[in-house]
Amino acid sequence: GNIDELVNIPVSGSINYTVTLSIPANFTGSLRNTATVESPAAVPDFFLSNNAATDTSYSVVQIQESIWNDID
């Protein structure tokens, strides 16, 4: 679900959230996470263009391969 929390972040500050999920082994495609912020009505925000960010991660197929030689 969504994280909806009222927080006070100092200038140049940051907040980190950790989300854990299970991804099915047969998943293909991409995972997308978008974070948005909104200032209180009494606080002017002159740079609305920096209020959202999206991260996209693409699935990677891992192949395990073993190679060996028999020596007689």
Side-chain angles (χ1 to χ4, degrees):
N2 295 333
I3 299 172
D4 186 3
E5 184 176 355
L6 179 61
V7 295
N8 291 313
I9 306 172
V11 173
S12 298
S14 64
I15 293 179
N16 294 308
Y17 291 97
T18 300
V19 178
T20 304
L21 64 136
S22 297
I23 301 171
N26 62 348
F27 175 81
T28 60
S30 61
L31 299 173
R32 180 172 293 153
N33 181 47
T34 300
T36 58
V37 296
E38 184 177 304
S39 63
V43 178
D45 186 351
F46 300 108
F47 301 101
L48 296 175
S49 63
N50 69 351
N51 289 358
T54 299
D55 176 67
T56 303
S57 300
Y58 297 93
S59 63
V60 176
V61 176
Q62 294 182 352
I63 300 173
Q64 185 175 4
E65 183 176 315
S66 298
I67 299 174
W68 65 89
N69 289 328
D70 291 329
I71 300 175
D72 294 325

